[in-house]
């Protein structure tokens, strides 16, 4: 059998191999960007459902538990939230990492949500105070961990998609805002499908636990700074040092005080004394749905404009 003549190397397109390599690299880069975005979307959806259960119960606290016990749980929740955010969150995130802190905090949120069901089905009403303390500690660590995870995801997506850090941050911020607000709306609307009480609290508990397990099982951590964390005492006092050095932080105090007073009045007094008494308890979780719905609809378009 006659052998085929050797191919003339001069007839081979010198750009062919390079083009194939470029196409392969582009495909790999696109898949990497999609993987980062998909991982972030799973986190955003699960986070939103879990946190939505908590905010729905905060709105029901005074009307379901009574003004005295309900307001006590809100005080304990926000007090532990403040202390945890100021003195615990920085060191915990530095040592456990963003994902593990998120899983831990979402799991502790489940304790707060489940305490309502326990209080409803047993005579141990004060268990919600313990649940509020646990939930407050969780909230103080949850948001700093989410901020770290968000920043690292935006950086990873910018590298994978070959776009600027600013554009990636705007895009992921819009997606997270939309998911967060949709989760809050959905969990508050869920109260319309149940009479306030045991079945609703059990439903919230199941959703919160499922969301926490989803993050633990299906969300990958995003690598970041590998610098060893500072001593815990130094991390615990970082917020105080920043407050002392930064005039901007001090100027935010009046705004946060006004927000805190408004939130306390809304959740602790207005919803139970006016809304629940005059129009029914189910409206306690639905009174802010239209506002949150509008924000959820506008969030993606706002991010897309910045992305362009």
């Amino acid at each position: 059998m006659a052998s085929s003549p050797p191919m003339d190397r001069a007839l081979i397109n010198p750009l062919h191999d390079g083009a194939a390599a470029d196409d392969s690299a582009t495909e790999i880069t696109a898949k990497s960007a999609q993987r980062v975005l998909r991982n972030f979307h799973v986190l955003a959806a699960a986070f939103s459902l879990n946190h939505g259960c908590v905010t729905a119960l905060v709105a029901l606290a005074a009307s379901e538990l009574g003004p005295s016990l309900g307001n006590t749980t809100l005080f304990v929740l926000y007090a532990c939230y403040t202390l945890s955010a100021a003195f615990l969150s920085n060191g915990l995130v530095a040592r456990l990492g963003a994902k593990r802190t998120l899983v831990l905090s979402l799991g502790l949120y489940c304790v707060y949500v489940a305490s309502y069901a326990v209080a409803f089905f047993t005579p141990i009403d004060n268990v919600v105070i313990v649940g509020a303390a646990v939930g407050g500690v969780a909230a103080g660590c949850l948001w700093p961990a989410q901020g770290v995870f968000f920043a690292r995801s935006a950086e990873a997506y910018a590298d994978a998609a070959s776009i600027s850090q600013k554009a990636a941050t705007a895009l992921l911020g819009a997606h997270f805002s939309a998911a967060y607000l949709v989760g809050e709306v959905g969990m508050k609307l869920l109260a319309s499908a149940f009479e306030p009480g045991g079945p609703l609290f059990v439903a919230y508990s199941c959703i919160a636990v499922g969301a926490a397990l989803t993050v633990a099982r299906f969300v990958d951590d995003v690598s970041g700074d590998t610098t060893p964390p500072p001593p815990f005492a130094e991390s615990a006092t970082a917020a105080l040092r920043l407050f002392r050095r930064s005039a901007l932080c001090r100027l935010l105090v009046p705004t946060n005080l006004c927000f805190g007073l408004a939130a306390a009045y809304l959740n602790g007094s207005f919803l139970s004394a006016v809304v629940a008494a005059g129009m029914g308890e189910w409206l306690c979780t639905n009174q802010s749905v239209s506002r949150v719905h509008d924000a959820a609809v506008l969030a993606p378009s706002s991010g897309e404009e910045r992305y362009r």
Side-chain angles (χ1 to χ4, degrees):
M1 180 183 297
S3 61
S4 59
M7 182 176 294
D8 189 347
R9 300 294 297 176
L11 297 178
I12 300 178
N13 184 351
L15 299 178
H16 178 75
D17 292 341
D22 289 343
D23 290 343
S24 177
T26 301
E27 183 179 355
I28 292 173
T29 300
K31 288 182 177 179
S32 178
Q34 291 172 1
R35 186 162 53 249
V36 172
L37 196 59
R38 183 167 55 250
N39 188 62
F40 182 78
H41 284 165
V42 174
L43 181 278
F47 182 104
S48 302
L49 290 174
N50 184 287
H51 195 273
C53 294
V54 173
T55 58
L57 289 175
V58 166
L60 286 170
S63 61
E64 281 295 303
L65 302 174
S68 178
L69 182 57
N71 287 326
T72 300
T73 62
L74 293 178
F75 167 77
V76 172
L77 176 72
Y78 289 125
C80 292
Y81 186 167
T82 301
L83 294 173
S84 174
F87 302 111
L88 178 62
S89 61
N90 191 25
L92 192 66
V93 174
R95 282 157 179 77
L96 296 184
K99 182 196 168 177
R100 282 188 287 182
T101 305
L102 281 168
V103 172
L104 176 62
S105 300
L106 293 174
L108 293 178
Y109 256 179
C110 297
V111 175
Y112 172 69
V113 176
S115 69
Y116 277 74
V118 174
F120 183 86
F121 289 111
T122 70
I124 315 174
D125 292 344
N126 289 337
V127 71
V128 293
I129 297 178
V130 177
V134 174
V137 172
C141 298
L142 180 70
W143 284 105
Q146 186 274 341
V148 172
F149 191 93
F150 174 87
R152 291 178 179 174
S153 295
E155 183 179 355
Y157 185 75
D159 292 340
S162 300
I163 61 175
S164 68
Q165 180 78 27
K166 183 178 180 180
T169 300
L171 181 65
L172 267 61
H175 289 188
F176 182 84
S177 298
Y180 175 77
L181 294 172
V182 167
E184 183 174 345
V185 169
M187 293 304 97
K188 288 182 176 179
L189 285 176
L190 185 62
S192 302
F194 293 88
E195 284 293 326
L200 178 63
F201 299 153
V202 171
Y204 281 145
S205 299
C206 292
I207 293 170
V209 170
L213 292 176
T214 296
V215 174
R217 177 65 180 84
F218 296 108
V219 174
D220 297 325
D221 203 358
V222 184
S223 60
D225 187 13
T226 57
T227 304
F232 198 88
E234 182 178 342
S235 299
T237 57
L240 293 178
R241 293 197 303 273
L242 178 62
F243 183 82
R244 188 173 61 250
R245 293 196 308 265
S246 174
L248 178 60
C249 287
R250 295 193 293 274
L251 289 173
L252 289 173
V253 170
T255 303
N256 287 317
L257 283 175
C258 290
F259 175 81
L261 290 172
Y265 172 72
L266 176 66
N267 293 316
S269 178
F270 179 77
L271 290 179
S272 60
V274 179
V275 177
M279 293 176 284
E281 291 184 359
W282 68 276
L283 276 176
C284 289
T285 54
N286 292 341
Q287 50 82 30
S288 62
V289 165
S290 60
R291 171 178 53 83
V292 178
H293 169 267
D294 292 342
V297 170
L298 293 174
S301 59
S302 174
E304 291 295 337
E305 285 298 320
R306 293 180 60 193
Y307 178 71
R308 294 191 186 101

